[in-house]
């Protein structure tokens, strides 16, 4: 049990999120018990740090009942039907009220555009068409980056889905699975997972124009080496964190790819890793790692000390249940986004902690 959970993120809020997520399973509790005991982490009696805010996955998640639609339903007796948005969601990125979710089966990026109350797709038109999108990232300017593992491409789009450019050439990659970008877009990091018969397990660094400026790592277990890396994330201070899945650890590098530190080990206990799937960094620099064996997200400080586990692998539709967890993201408000493939959903967890909390205690 965590006795004194660390303040995970800043107290800023995304205006109107709860008001916009009106349809589907976004906010209505299923029972009086659920209404009395909303999903929070850690569980009482500990002070809560995150609270479930919404679940995305339906075409009605952004639908507000207008006077016209209410009258139409009253006259016809036909109620709007919720249709699933995702087929097989994988990774997620979020910024400025837009939530981007890669879908490996639909071969697109789904976008929940909260400011415009729209759901749309990108990555299906002409030169920007996707074949199997995995990693997705967004920088501070709203540019969206997608790693397409089948096409061996990394593509940049504007916030509305218009193709901008490719990063590198197909020969640069064996299996590009993850992508991350600095806030100003001056550095883009591509995780090349390689494979069983390949030594190209590495991190590629590009400038904002799409030209490669560094290649980091080879296959191995030493500092700065990788074994089946899968994802990356960039901290506010420019530190790049790479999820080194086959070595069951997280490695940290500076903005130019120089090794800084690493942590993690194989195991079944808190703070250990068994099947790491996704990684994200919050506004305060804390690192979030999703794990498919645990069905949860573990929150670490920048030095790898465990602060808080969130969720479980139970096959239940309740908030915090992630039987097939995948990607994870944190936006500039500190909200946490968690992808679960079993329920084809993205959960939104709002930070509710107190910035005046004491220093973290070891769990």
């Amino acid at each position: 049990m965590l006795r004194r959970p660390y303040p995970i993120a800043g107290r800023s809020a995304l205006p109107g999120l709860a008001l916009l997520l009106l349809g589907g399973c976004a906010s209505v509790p299923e029972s009086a018990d659920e209404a009395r005991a909303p999903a929070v982490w850690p569980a009482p009696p500990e002070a809560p740090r995150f609270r479930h805010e919404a679940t995305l996955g339906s075409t009605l998640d952004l639908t507000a009942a207008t006077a016209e639609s209410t009258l139409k339903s009253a006259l016809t007796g036909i109620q709007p039907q919720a249709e699933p948005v995702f087929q097989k969601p994988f990774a997620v990125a979020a910024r400025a009220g837009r939530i981007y979710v890669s879908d490996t089966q639909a071969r697109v990026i789904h976008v929940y555009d909260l400011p415009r109350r729209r759901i749309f797709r990108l990555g299906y038109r002409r030169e920007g068409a996707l074949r199997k999108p995995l990693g997705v990232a967004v920088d501070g300017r709203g540019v969206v980056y997608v790693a397409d593992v089948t096409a061996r491409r990394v593509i940049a789009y504007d916030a509305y889905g218009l193709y901008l450019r490719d990063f590198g050439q197909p020969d640069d990659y064996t299996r590009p699975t993850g992508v991350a970008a600095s806030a100003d877009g001056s550095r883009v990091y591509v995780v090349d997972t390689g494979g069983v018969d390949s030594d190209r397990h590495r991190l590629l660094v590009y400038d904002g124009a799409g030209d490669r400026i560094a290649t980091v790592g080879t296959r191995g277990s030493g500092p700065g080496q990788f074994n089946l890396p899968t994802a990356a994330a960039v901290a506010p201070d420019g530190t790049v964190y790479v999820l080194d899945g086959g070595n069951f650890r997280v490695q940290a590098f500076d903005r130019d790819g120089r090794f800084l530190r690493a942590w993690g080990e194989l195991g079944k206990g808190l703070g250990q890793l068994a099947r790491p799937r996704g990684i994200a960094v919050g506004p305060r620099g804390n690192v979030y790692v999703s794990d498919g064996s645990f069905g949860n997200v573990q929150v670490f400080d920048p030095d790898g000390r465990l602060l808080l586990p969130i969720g479980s692998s139970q096959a239940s539709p309740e908030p915090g249940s992630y039987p097939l967890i995948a990607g994870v993201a944190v936006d500039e408000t500190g909200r946490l986004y968690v992808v679960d493939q079993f329920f084809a959903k993205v959960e939104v967890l709002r930070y509710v902690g107190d910035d005046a909390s004491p220093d973290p205690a070891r769990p």
Side-chain angles (χ1 to χ4, degrees):
M1 183 70 71
L2 295 178
R3 288 300 171 193
R4 295 190 299 167
Y6 189 57
I8 300 297
R11 187 175 279 282
S12 60
L14 184 63
L17 177 63
L19 296 177
L20 290 172
L21 300 174
L22 298 176
C25 51
S27 60
V28 181
E30 296 182 357
S31 68
D33 288 341
E34 186 178 349
R36 286 194 298 269
V40 296
W41 295 271
E46 302 291 348
R49 288 297 178 268
F50 283 94
R51 180 185 301 270
H52 176 265
E53 184 172 36
T55 299
L56 306 180
S58 161
T59 53
L60 296 185
D61 287 339
L62 298 187
T63 302
T66 64
E68 180 181 354
S69 65
T70 302
L71 177 61
K72 182 177 179 180
S73 296
L75 293 175
T76 64
I78 301 174
Q79 298 295 326
Q81 298 297 309
E83 299 292 339
V85 172
F86 310 127
Q87 294 183 35
K88 192 173 183 180
F90 185 82
V92 60
R95 188 172 183 86
R98 294 186 180 92
I99 304 160
Y100 303 88
V101 183
S102 64
D103 191 321
T104 59
Q105 190 167 321
R107 298 187 296 178
V108 297
I109 305 297
H110 303 282
V111 185
Y112 277 79
D113 188 337
L114 304 186
R116 298 195 299 164
R117 299 193 182 190
R118 290 187 55 201
I119 302 173
F120 66 94
R121 299 176 300 164
L122 63 84
Y124 63 93
R125 294 178 178 174
R126 297 183 179 179
E127 68 269 44
L130 296 166
R131 296 173 62 186
K132 189 175 182 179
L134 291 182
V136 59
V138 57
D139 68 21
R141 307 165 302 163
V143 176
V144 182
Y145 306 86
V146 181
D148 187 325
V149 66
T150 297
R152 292 193 299 161
R153 298 176 69 189
V154 175
I155 309 169
Y157 305 86
D158 71 12
Y160 303 104
L162 295 179
Y163 171 85
L164 296 177
R165 70 183 67 87
D166 274 41
F167 280 75
Q169 304 295 325
D171 289 343
D172 285 358
Y173 312 117
T174 301
R175 291 180 60 217
T177 58
V179 62
S182 62
D184 62 3
S186 64
R187 292 289 188 276
V188 175
Y189 305 91
V190 179
V191 177
D192 193 2
T193 298
V196 175
D197 299 322
S198 171
D199 288 329
R200 300 211 302 180
H201 299 221
R202 56 195 186 160
L203 178 71
L204 305 177
V205 186
Y206 295 85
D207 64 19
D211 297 321
R212 181 159 38 142
I213 57 178
T215 300
V216 180
T218 59
R219 190 170 191 177
S221 58
Q225 294 183 311
F226 302 105
N227 183 23
L228 299 175
T230 58
V234 181
D237 67 358
T239 302
V240 184
Y241 293 90
V242 180
L243 191 57
D244 188 6
N247 286 320
F248 306 98
R249 65 183 180 181
V250 174
Q251 295 199 67
F253 301 84
D254 70 13
R255 71 187 301 269
D256 295 317
R258 289 183 286 266
F259 175 81
L260 298 175
R261 59 189 177 275
W263 78 81
E265 61 179 0
L266 174 63
K268 298 186 293 183
L270 288 174
Q272 297 176 316
L273 302 175
R275 192 156 62 94
R277 301 291 308 277
I279 190 168
V281 184
R284 298 177 70 108
N286 293 326
V287 181
Y288 299 68
V289 179
S290 59
D291 195 294
S293 288
F294 307 145
N296 71 3
V297 178
Q298 297 189 90
V299 188
F300 299 90
D301 73 11
D303 294 318
R305 182 166 52 176
L306 179 67
L307 304 177
L308 177 69
I310 299 173
S312 70
S313 61
Q314 62 181 337
S316 164
E318 297 177 358
S321 297
Y322 311 124
L324 196 55
I325 200 169
V328 62
V330 182
D331 70 10
E332 73 278 12
T333 74
R335 280 178 169 84
L336 172 63
Y337 302 82
V338 184
V339 176
D340 179 73
Q341 296 178 314
F342 185 88
F343 290 110
K345 67 179 180 179
V346 175
E347 285 194 355
V348 185
L349 310 183
R350 181 168 59 90
Y351 176 73
V352 293
D354 183 355
D355 284 345
S357 297
D359 290 338
R362 292 184 183 276

